Amino acid sequence: MNLESIQNNKINTILQFSIPSIIAMVLTSLITVADGFFIGNYVGKEGLAAVNLGLPIIYLYLAVGLMVSVGGVAIAGMALGSRDIKKCNSVFNQTMCMAMVSTVLLSIIMWLCLDSMLQLLNADTKVSGFFKDYYGIILLELPIMVINASFGMFIRGEGKPQYFMQVNIFNVLLNIFLDYLFVRWFAWGVKGVAAASLLSAIVTLLCILYFFIKKSSVYKLSKYTFSGVVLRSTLLNGSSEFVGEMSMSISMFAYNFVILKNIGVDGVTAFTIVGYIAYIFSMVIIGFGQGASPLISFTYGAKEHLLAANLRRISNFMVLTVGAVVLLLVLAGSGWYSSLFVKSDVVERMVRSGVIIYAVSFLFSGINTISSFYFTSIGKAKESAIISSARGLVILLICIFTLPPLFGMTGVWLVSPITEVLTLLLSLFFIEKESKKLSHRLAQG
């Protein structure tokens, strides 16, 4: 990375780093959508509901993975900005070791908790059977998924995002092919979808390891000396991402609990289908955040605080524009989308009306996400954690437990827009506070 190049080409540099990341993240989300398409059309709405009931598990892995990787990448990025290559590599190797150990242990724990989770949700027998079939295999895949994503952040931090994009393209194509083979031809049902994800993740890991063995110019796989200071800094820097994803895990469990109680399996299925669009959009926004984060960390570590703030402002404008475009697309295509996954008039009606209401949140969620990434990237974990916990837990849970009982399925759709609007006020408060501090520093010279 070069400070002068970033300063003179801010928009192009953000796009250069973000677009490969966005493509990689969208491709990853398309795997989920493809899985849903095959499950919905070849297994049924109960299969879709079963997979959605386990989303809190996936968010739990993302919480641990992002806490470790985002925190580690931020420290490594600032070290790279100050030209401390030795520290870069030490942080890289410790981060990857932590990601591997923590997620493998998590899989063992989650395996023991599957039955308890089903009992708490009071899922019916058919949904419970699909749930066990799917997540019994996915618990093997999730640690590899986290490791791949963590490696990918370091590949982007090294300035080689195109390679990770290419690997992800291959991963998506392989996964969809295996979905088609295992579900359409072998009739393995949800087990086939899970097996396709596992095999694709293993192949992707091999491609990534090849990069760090043969092509990497900064980060190298090697022995390292464990540092408690780095561990504490990593966990602190990544705490906002942990809070955000853990909040999503808790809130998704709450969503499922409330929808099952007030609407039933049809409501969970409709929420799952609308969730695919929300998931794709969130991946686009996270892609912008992951692309901008190493640039912000690098410029902030090089004492170019004003440039880091400018990068954040430009990123916020970009995600606002994307949110508006996606909302217009949803308005135009809600009818077609509602019938894509299942053939059920009840579910289709829920999706057709709900997706439009839910999509309003896209105008605000991008700014909240980028703001959280920004504060993490400059080492201000408290502000980032407050934003993440507000939109992913505190405000969200209040809305989940009040709106659906009052307004039924319409209340479910209103939860996200109301949460994001209230969180936006909090994000703008912290941004204004940080801007005043920056102005004060510049005035003092």
Side-chain angles (χ1 to χ4, degrees):
M1 286 187 238
N2 182 279
L3 277 174
E4 184 178 354
S5 176
I6 296 173
Q7 178 68 61
N8 295 333
N9 302 280
K10 290 187 281 290
I11 294 177
N12 288 339
T13 304
I14 291 173
L15 292 175
Q16 179 186 348
F17 274 71
S18 296
I19 288 177
S21 178
I22 291 167
I23 293 173
M25 297 300 289
V26 169
L27 288 172
T28 300
S29 67
L30 287 178
I31 293 174
T32 301
V33 176
D35 289 351
F37 175 82
F38 283 104
I39 292 173
N41 284 278
Y42 294 99
V43 178
K45 62 183 181 181
E46 291 84 3
L48 278 178
V51 171
N52 191 72
L53 291 183
L55 284 182
I57 297 173
I58 296 176
Y59 283 118
L60 178 59
Y61 279 86
L62 289 174
V64 173
L66 282 175
M67 176 176 63
V68 173
S69 59
V70 170
V73 165
I75 296 171
M78 286 187 279
L80 183 60
S82 60
R83 308 300 180 187
D84 189 347
I85 304 300
K86 183 178 179 180
K87 183 178 180 180
C88 281
N89 270 291
S90 179
V91 172
F92 162 66
N93 283 281
Q94 180 166 315
T95 298
M96 294 313 306
C97 184
M98 289 168 56
M100 179 179 66
V101 173
S102 60
T103 52
V104 169
L105 290 175
L106 187 58
S107 279
I108 295 172
I109 295 170
M110 293 311 303
W111 176 266
L112 300 174
C113 295
L114 290 181
D115 287 329
S116 299
M117 185 175 177
L118 287 171
Q119 290 173 6
L120 187 58
L121 287 168
N122 197 28
D124 65 39
T125 303
K126 191 171 184 180
V127 172
S128 296
F130 286 137
F131 179 91
K132 289 183 179 180
D133 287 344
Y134 183 78
Y135 285 98
I137 298 172
I138 286 296
L139 287 178
L140 299 174
E141 185 264 346
L142 288 173
I144 304 173
M145 176 197 76
V146 170
I147 291 168
N148 289 345
S150 300
F151 271 131
M153 294 190 73
F154 281 101
I155 292 174
R156 285 189 289 269
E158 188 169 309
K160 305 285 180 60
Q162 292 82 4
Y163 182 86
F164 192 56
M165 179 188 70
Q166 293 166 359
V167 169
N168 271 278
I169 291 173
F170 176 68
N171 177 43
V172 171
L173 294 176
L174 177 61
N175 197 299
I176 293 175
F177 170 74
L178 292 176
D179 273 347
Y180 180 76
L181 183 66
F182 294 163
V183 181
R184 173 67 177 81
W185 290 104
F186 293 176
W188 289 354
V190 293
K191 287 184 177 180
V193 171
S197 297
L198 175 60
L199 290 176
S200 300
I202 292 172
V203 173
T204 300
L205 177 60
L206 294 176
C207 294
I208 290 172
L209 289 175
Y210 171 79
F211 173 86
F212 284 104
I213 293 171
K214 296 291 186 180
K215 294 180 174 291
S216 176
S217 58
V218 177
Y219 298 113
K220 302 290 185 180
L221 293 169
S222 62
K223 293 181 179 180
Y224 71 95
T225 301
F226 177 80
S227 170
V229 174
V230 170
L231 173 61
R232 286 192 295 273
S233 298
T234 296
L235 299 182
L236 179 62
N237 271 339
S239 62
S240 63
E241 276 65 36
F242 177 81
V243 170
E245 295 300 328
M246 270 304 295
S247 299
M248 286 299 296
S249 178
I250 295 169
S251 64
M252 186 57 65
F253 189 88
Y255 261 125
N256 288 329
F257 179 82
V258 170
I259 295 172
L260 277 176
K261 182 179 179 180
N262 292 279
I263 294 98
V265 171
D266 285 339
V268 175
T269 304
F271 183 72
T272 303
I273 294 170
V274 171
Y276 290 141
I277 289 183
Y279 184 47
I280 292 173
F281 179 75
S282 70
M283 292 297 102
V284 172
I285 301 308
I286 290 173
F288 270 110
Q290 290 185 346
S293 286
L295 297 173
I296 293 171
S297 295
F298 179 77
T299 53
Y300 199 86
K303 308 301 181 184
E304 292 288 342
H305 298 168
L306 183 60
L307 177 56
N310 285 335
L311 293 173
R312 187 258 308 156
R313 280 192 288 269
I314 293 170
S315 298
N316 275 340
F317 178 76
M318 288 178 175
V319 297
L320 175 61
T321 302
V322 172
V325 170
V326 173
L327 176 58
L328 292 175
L329 291 174
V330 167
L331 288 170
S334 60
W336 166 80
Y337 181 75
S338 65
S339 62
L340 185 60
F341 292 88
V342 294
K343 305 305 177 186
S344 167
D345 291 338
V346 174
V347 173
E348 287 181 31
R349 283 196 299 270
M350 289 181 181
V351 173
R352 193 159 46 244
S353 60
V355 70
I356 296 173
I357 300 172
Y358 196 104
V360 173
S361 66
F362 299 163
L363 296 174
F364 316 106
S365 60
I367 296 174
N368 291 328
T369 302
I370 294 298
S371 298
S372 180
F373 267 105
Y374 170 73
F375 285 113
T376 296
S377 299
I378 64 174
K380 299 201 172 183
K382 183 182 74 173
E383 289 85 348
S384 182
I386 292 173
I387 293 171
S388 296
S389 60
R391 70 189 292 254
L393 189 63
V394 181
I395 299 174
L396 185 64
L397 285 181
I398 293 172
C399 292
I400 288 174
F401 285 106
T402 55
L403 296 177
L406 291 173
F407 304 109
M409 206 61 196
T410 301
V412 172
W413 307 130
L414 285 171
V415 168
S416 186
I418 292 175
T419 298
E420 294 295 351
V421 168
L422 294 176
T423 304
L424 180 63
L425 300 176
L426 192 60
S427 297
L428 294 176
F429 168 77
F430 284 127
I431 289 171
E432 179 64 21
K433 186 177 178 181
E434 178 65 21
S435 297
K436 287 180 179 178
K437 287 182 181 179
L438 178 57
S439 299
H440 183 66
R441 287 195 210 105
L442 293 174
Q444 288 184 327

